[in-house]
Amino acid sequence: MRLTAARLSMGVAAAVLLAGASAADARDRGLGAQLGLPPAGLTARPYDRGLSPSDAARVAQQQNGGGRVLSVDPGDRGYRVKLLKDGNVRIVYVPRD
């Protein structure tokens, strides 16, 4: 199947129009959840308030005597840090405060 110049330009124009739609427009039309947008009026996340994911990982390692950080997931009031130590996976919650 050959892509003609007309079809190509129509596709480019459609992509430009879609890219121009703002997140607020998508949220207003009820598409926010489908697009992975946060709800309107969402408060700042923990990493917006001073505690970074790397800080949380470092605190979790200090509390457990080391270990390899597998993941750091933000929560409402801190971070959930997964550590691998001595062949065991440990889940540590590091509060923001």
Side-chain angles (χ1 to χ4, degrees), residues 1 12 48:
M1 179 173 153
V12 170
D48 294 336

Side-chain angles (χ1 to χ4, degrees), residues 2 9 16 21 24 26 37 40 48 62 69 82-83 88-89 91 94-95:
R2 289 184 62 192
S9 63
V16 168
L37 299 173
D48 294 336
Q62 289 171 351
V69 177
K82 248 189 228 185
L83 292 175
N88 296 315
V89 175
I91 298 175
V94 179

Side-chain angles (χ1 to χ4, degrees), residues 1-9 11:
M1 179 173 153
R2 289 184 62 192
L3 188 61
T4 64
R7 283 188 181 178
L8 179 61
S9 63

Side-chain angles (χ1 to χ4, degrees), residues 38-57:
L42 183 69
T43 58
R45 294 185 178 145
Y47 49 83
D48 294 336
R49 297 184 202 143
L51 181 67
S52 71
S54 59
D55 292 337

Side-chain angles (χ1 to χ4, degrees), residues 8-96:
L8 179 61
S9 63
M10 285 176 52
V12 170
V16 168
L17 288 173
L18 289 174
S22 71
D25 292 339
R27 192 178 294 118
D28 291 342
R29 290 184 303 211
L31 300 174
Q34 293 173 1
L35 298 174
L37 299 173
L42 183 69
T43 58
R45 294 185 178 145
Y47 49 83
D48 294 336
R49 297 184 202 143
L51 181 67
S52 71
S54 59
D55 292 337
R58 188 173 35 258
V59 169
Q61 286 175 319
Q62 289 171 351
Q63 289 176 350
N64 289 280
R68 179 176 176 218
V69 177
L70 300 177
S71 68
V72 180
D73 301 313
D76 290 337
R77 301 191 182 270
Y79 289 93
R80 180 177 164 255
V81 181
K82 248 189 228 185
L83 292 175
L84 178 64
K85 182 170 181 198
D86 301 327
N88 296 315
V89 175
R90 298 178 184 190
I91 298 175
V92 179
Y93 184 77
V94 179
R96 176 182 74 228

